[in-house]
Structures are given as C-alpha cells and as structure tokens.
Amino acid sequence: MKITKYTIQRLSKYQRIAKECCDNGTERISSKYISEKLGLSASQVRQDLNYFGTFGQQGYGYNVCALYDNLSNILGNNIRKNIIIIGAGNLGRAIAKYKYLSRYGFKIISIFDNKPDMIGVNIENIIVDDIQNLENFMKNNQVDICVLTASTKTISDIVNIVKNNGCKAFWNFVETPFKVPEGCIVENIHLMDSLQTLSFNNSNS
Amino acid sequence: MKITKYTIQRLSKYQRIAKECCDNGTERISSKYISEKLGLSASQVRQDLNYFGTFGQQGYGYNVCALYDNLSNILGNNIRKNIIIIGAGNLGRAIAKYKYLSRYGFKIISIFDNKPDMIGVNIENIIVDDIQNLENFMKNNQVDICVLTASTKTISDIVNIVKNNGCKAFWNFVETPFKVPEGCIVENIHLMDSLQTLSFNNSNS
C-alpha cells in the first residue's frame, strides 16, 4: 500500500473519532462504526489500520483509547512541532487560538507581521514580532512548520527566508499564488476555491 | 469533459490570477503564464477555459479583465449568495471578516451562537443571534450557504433545521463527524487533517 496524503487524512479522521469515543467513555468500536461515520467502506478502514499495525479483533472491534494512542504515535502527536505564523490578521489569530493545535503536539512559538499596529499585540501570550526579525528568529529557533496567512507582495521572500533557515513545511492560506522553492512541502487551504466550489455545485445541482 | 469539483477549483484559481493581473494593470496573459503560476499544464488551462467558452487567441493570450469577468460569470460571483455562520468563536469571526467573501458575491446575513457571552456581540455590523432563533430566521430569509464552525453536540440538529428550511449547502469547519442528511452538499475544510498531513509528510520525507 502506498501511503498517500489521503491515507494520512483518513488516519487523522479515525483518530478524531477514537478521541471522541474515548472521551465519551465508549470502550470499543468496530471498523463498521468508523466507516459509517466517515462514509468509507469498512474494508478501507481495516486496511488502513492493519497497514500501520493497529489491529482490531474480529467481532470485537478496536479498543478506542488504545486506537487513539496508536494513531497519535503514527501521526507523531507526541512529538512537539514548533510553528510560526506569518500574519497576525483575523485568520492568523484564529489559527493561533485554534484549540486543536496543542492536542496534536503543535506549538505556536512566534507570530510575525509587517503592520505597525499589529507588531507588539499579544495573541495567546505571544507578542507579535516585526517581520524584519524573521530571519534572526529562524537562525535561533527550530521551526518545523510555517503558516502563511498574510497575502503580501513579499510572500516569496518570506518563504525563501524560512526555507533557507531550515523549515521546509508550509501550511498555506494565502490566496495569491506564489512560487514554491524546490524541496518544500506545501499544504494549501484555499478558502475561496472551496467556497466557490460549494456555491457552484449548489447552483448547478 | 465532466465538470468535477477540481475543475471548479481550477477556475477559481484562474480567476484569482486574472484578478491579480487586472489589478496590476497587465493587459494579456498566456495559458503558459497561468499554468506556470499553478503548476498545471498549459493544455489543461486551455481545455478548462475553452470548455466554458472563454477563448484566448493563439500567440496573443487572454485579455485579463475579460477573462476575470467571464470567470466571475461562470462562477456566479455577480449573483448574491446569502450566508449564515453557526458559531461566533475565533474561526467564525475570521470567516465573517474574510475580505474575499464580498468580492465573490457572498454576503453574511447572520451569525448564531448558543453561548450567552457571544449572543449580542457585534461582528462586522452583525449582532450575533441566539441559536434558538435559527429556525425562525430560516423561515423568514433566503439562506444559500450555512457555514458550520462550532463543534457542538447538537450539530446534527442544526444541520437538519437548516436543511428543512431550504438551504442544502454547508461549508463545514467542524472537526467532529456528523451525519449529512440526504440531498445536502457539504464542502469540508478539515484544518487538523490538513496540518497533520503536512506534518507527517515533513517528518517522513
């Protein structure tokens, strides 16, 4: 089996269901239960989990808390990943305050902006830093993931500074396309593409 | 050609590039220019645009402002779509304030929450309404799209109220899976699936 982006997204969904059941006090769940929650086939669920060595028992299912722990290990949630956010606007703030980040091992260590009225603002106990200090910060800290929320003309420069200082993973919310340097991994959240797709399908269904 | 979700997402991207070029004062762009910006083949771009009757001239390219207008028509940006947001938390606020919505014809007409400290708050000149008033609101207003940002135990009830009162399109940010009623269209933005995928690929590359 090839581990694709979609496999990992499914694991993340299984984990979320396991967490929910674990919190609710449910002891065991079947692959059928998981598959129905997600609109997948039960064999897909079993295949994914088997591949990663997470075995249920036939007619008995998965122990939800063990399943959650297993998936958390596979997904590396027990390893802290340092994140910086470029852009302290509404989207940057919402991400900084997103309650799920810490649950999955993600830690925001700095937020940068170029606007004078943003620099110095306190967001979740992080003081927004001047984008001019980005390079220096990168040289002195281990950054695993850079979140891009601000659409500026210098986005390519920012990406290059980050990449040249050891972080090659970008979580991108910026609508304007930019050139991705070789060797970088970009995961895009294009809000308007998503909303326009929904709206088009809604009007044409 | 079958119009898939991916076709529409591409049109949305072409439109964004056309808008950018139009704003920058560029007159014409080639399919090659668009394709390089997006990492697609030029023939893919031509095929998509030809299909919708948007023709460039060989060796001459597309008039950017006409291209933008054409794409806006295809995507229905000139038609107002009324949106309600469920959840006035950080994510709901960020969406309400998202500057691209109005450009594409989307209009937030109400925001609902169930928390007493949220109800009555002013977000972009909209007073957050009590979720108890949702059904009544739906009966008296045309709602095209419902944005789900709040993860509550009653999310299925909310979805049913919205659906039973004429809106079948949901833009979903809620992490917890819920049952989608028949006939509804759901476009999911699963932030943690996306971030976990990025993080996994980054750790395993």
Side-chain angles (χ1 to χ4, degrees):
Chain A
M1 189 173 91
K2 194 165 168 275
I3 304 170
T4 64
K5 153 177 178 159
Y6 303 104
T7 320
I8 305 305
Q9 285 175 354
R10 285 196 302 272
L11 294 190
S12 177
K13 288 180 206 293
Y14 304 156
Q15 181 194 31
R16 208 183 310 128
I17 292 173
K19 171 75 179 159
E20 202 190 342
C21 292
C22 194
D23 288 351
N24 286 346
T26 308
E27 254 186 56
R28 306 193 157 269
I29 48 174
S30 61
S31 49
K32 187 161 173 283
Y33 175 86
I34 299 174
S35 69
E36 282 173 359
K37 275 264 190 186
L38 296 172
L40 297 167
S41 71
S43 69
Q44 173 76 75
V45 174
R46 283 193 298 271
Q47 182 188 313
D48 287 338
L49 294 176
N50 281 351
Y51 180 83
F52 288 97
T54 297
F55 302 107
Q57 264 181 277
Q58 200 157 16
Y60 197 64
Y62 299 90
N63 175 301
V64 286
C65 295
L67 179 61
Y68 177 73
D69 287 344
N70 261 350
L71 288 169
S72 300
N73 278 333
I74 295 165
L75 293 167
N77 298 157
N78 46 351
I79 300 161
R80 173 169 153 168
K81 278 87 51 182
N82 288 338
I83 290 187
I84 60 168
I85 299 178
I86 309 296
N90 299 311
L91 201 53
R93 282 163 200 241
I95 293 166
K97 292 173 179 175
Y98 201 54
K99 65 179 178 179
Y100 291 93
L101 292 180
S102 59
R103 179 189 290 180
Y104 295 113
F106 298 101
K107 169 87 181 158
I108 312 281
I109 59 168
S110 194
I111 304 171
F112 294 90
D113 209 298
N114 63 353
K115 290 177 214 73
D117 59 332
M118 292 288 190
I119 297 165
V121 169
N122 185 325
I123 301 174
E124 296 286 291
N125 293 320
I126 292 167
I127 307 297
V128 177
D129 202 350
D130 189 334
I131 193 75
Q132 300 293 338
N133 299 329
L134 175 64
E135 187 155 14
N136 193 39
F137 183 89
M138 291 295 304
K139 289 194 192 305
N140 292 294
N141 293 275
Q142 196 213 315
V143 177
D144 299 298
I145 291 170
C146 173
V147 186
L148 302 168
T149 72
S151 186
T152 70
K153 294 207 175 182
T154 55
I155 195 85
S156 295
D157 297 343
I158 289 168
V159 168
N160 282 321
I161 291 171
V162 170
K163 194 245 173 174
N164 293 337
N165 287 284
C167 169
K168 62 182 199 299
F170 295 86
W171 199 26
N172 177 45
F173 291 76
V174 170
E175 298 281 343
T176 317
F178 60 90
K179 198 170 158 48
V180 177
E182 214 171 314
C184 286
I185 306 171
V186 180
E187 175 77 16
N188 291 303
I189 301 271
H190 282 145
L191 294 175
M192 290 317 297
D193 293 357
S194 170
L195 182 56
Q196 295 221 78
T197 303
L198 175 65
S199 180
F200 184 92
N201 290 335
N202 188 39
S203 304
N204 295 276
S205 66
Chain B
M1 189 172 90
K2 194 166 167 274
I3 303 171
T4 66
K5 157 176 175 159
Y6 304 104
T7 319
I8 306 305
Q9 284 175 353
R10 285 197 302 273
L11 294 190
S12 178
K13 288 180 207 294
Y14 304 156
Q15 181 194 32
R16 209 184 309 129
I17 291 173
K19 170 76 179 157
E20 203 190 339
C21 293
C22 194
D23 288 350
N24 287 345
T26 308
E27 253 187 55
R28 305 194 157 269
I29 48 172
S30 62
S31 50
K32 187 160 174 283
Y33 174 86
I34 299 174
S35 69
E36 281 173 1
K37 274 263 189 188
L38 296 172
L40 297 167
S41 71
S43 69
Q44 173 76 76
V45 175
R46 283 193 297 269
Q47 183 188 312
D48 287 339
L49 294 176
N50 280 351
Y51 180 83
F52 287 97
T54 298
F55 301 107
Q57 265 181 276
Q58 201 156 14
Y60 196 66
Y62 299 90
N63 175 302
V64 286
C65 295
L67 179 61
Y68 177 74
D69 287 345
N70 259 350
L71 290 168
S72 300
N73 278 334
I74 295 165
L75 293 166
N77 297 157
N78 46 351
I79 300 161
R80 173 169 153 166
K81 279 86 54 182
N82 288 340
I83 291 186
I84 59 168
I85 299 178
I86 309 297
N90 299 311
L91 202 52
R93 282 163 200 241
I95 293 166
K97 292 174 180 175
Y98 200 54
K99 65 177 178 181
Y100 292 93
L101 293 180
S102 59
R103 178 189 291 179
Y104 296 114
F106 299 102
K107 168 88 180 158
I108 313 281
I109 58 167
S110 194
I111 305 172
F112 293 89
D113 208 298
N114 61 355
K115 291 177 215 73
D117 58 333
M118 292 288 190
I119 298 164
V121 169
N122 184 324
I123 301 174
E124 298 285 292
N125 293 322
I126 293 167
I127 306 298
V128 176
D129 200 352
D130 189 335
I131 192 76
Q132 300 294 337
N133 299 328
L134 174 65
E135 186 156 12
N136 193 39
F137 183 90
M138 291 295 305
K139 288 193 193 306
N140 292 295
N141 294 275
Q142 195 214 316
V143 177
D144 300 297
I145 292 171
C146 173
V147 186
L148 302 168
T149 73
S151 185
T152 70
K153 294 203 176 186
T154 55
I155 194 86
S156 294
D157 298 342
I158 289 168
V159 168
N160 281 322
I161 291 171
V162 170
K163 193 240 171 178
N164 292 337
N165 288 283
C167 169
K168 62 181 200 300
F170 294 87
W171 199 25
N172 176 45
F173 291 77
V174 170
E175 299 281 343
T176 316
F178 60 90
K179 201 170 156 48
V180 178
E182 214 172 314
C184 287
I185 305 172
V186 180
E187 175 77 18
N188 290 304
I189 300 271
H190 282 144
L191 293 174
M192 290 318 296
D193 293 356
S194 170
L195 182 56
Q196 294 221 78
T197 303
L198 175 65
S199 181
F200 184 91
N201 290 335
N202 188 38
S203 305
N204 295 275
S205 65

